[in-house]
Amino acid sequence: MQKLTNKEEEVMHILWKLEKAFVKDVLLEIKDDKPHYNTLSTIIRNLEDKGYVGHTAYGNTHQYYPVITKEDYRKGFMNNAIENYFNNSYKSMVSFFAKEEKISADELREILDMIEKNK
């Protein structure tokens, strides 16, 4: 799975939300730093080249749709982050968030309960 740029990732979130969209539909969903129509079209075609997006042609117009699910992308993204930033250690990742106070003791207990129930 190839790494996406921030703008490509933003476009993917829009396509996951809309499920099917023309370039103009995607453009309407972008709130900040709107690219030019042609730039957005290029970004979407790059996503297609990377295997993230497919299209249905209607004459000269294309309707785009995600080929990769948000869940599959999330798994790949998280696995890559854990490998690159936490030396493949989920313990290191969780302790990082605990030290940063991004996860509470109650949330950790909930996670432990989920782990215990899956055994």
Side-chain angles (χ1 to χ4, degrees):
M1 189 175 288
Q2 289 186 32
K3 185 170 172 31
L4 299 181
T5 66
N6 290 340
K7 196 52 100 173
E8 286 172 336
E9 197 168 287
E10 180 183 4
V11 169
M12 284 306 301
H13 282 283
I14 292 168
L15 287 172
W16 285 319
K17 175 184 164 191
L18 299 177
E19 297 180 1
K20 292 181 181 177
F22 296 97
V23 174
K24 64 182 175 76
D25 301 324
V26 175
L27 192 59
L28 288 171
E29 292 288 320
I30 297 175
K31 303 297 179 219
D32 298 320
D33 196 23
K34 280 188 187 272
H36 186 274
Y37 180 94
N38 291 339
T39 302
L40 180 58
S41 181
T42 299
I43 291 168
I44 294 173
R45 284 195 313 276
N46 287 341
L47 285 166
E48 189 169 24
D49 290 343
K50 290 180 178 182
Y52 285 86
V53 170
H55 77 269
T56 303
Y58 297 97
N60 291 335
T61 306
H62 294 96
Q63 185 179 44
Y64 295 95
Y65 55 88
V67 174
I68 299 207
T69 66
K70 190 174 187 177
E71 182 62 29
D72 285 343
Y73 181 75
R74 180 182 12 230
K75 284 178 189 176
F77 179 86
M78 290 305 298
N79 287 337
N80 189 41
I82 292 164
E83 181 180 324
N84 290 329
Y85 297 103
F86 300 103
N87 296 321
N88 247 356
S89 168
Y90 288 85
K91 178 183 172 187
S92 293
M93 181 194 67
V94 172
S95 66
F96 167 81
F97 288 114
K99 288 175 190 169
E100 294 290 315
E101 298 180 6
K102 303 290 184 189
I103 191 167
S104 69
D106 287 339
E107 290 170 320
L108 286 171
R109 280 189 273 282
E110 286 179 37
I111 292 168
L112 286 172
D113 286 345
M114 287 176 8
I115 291 170
E116 291 298 322
K117 287 179 184 174
N118 286 331
K119 283 188 176 180

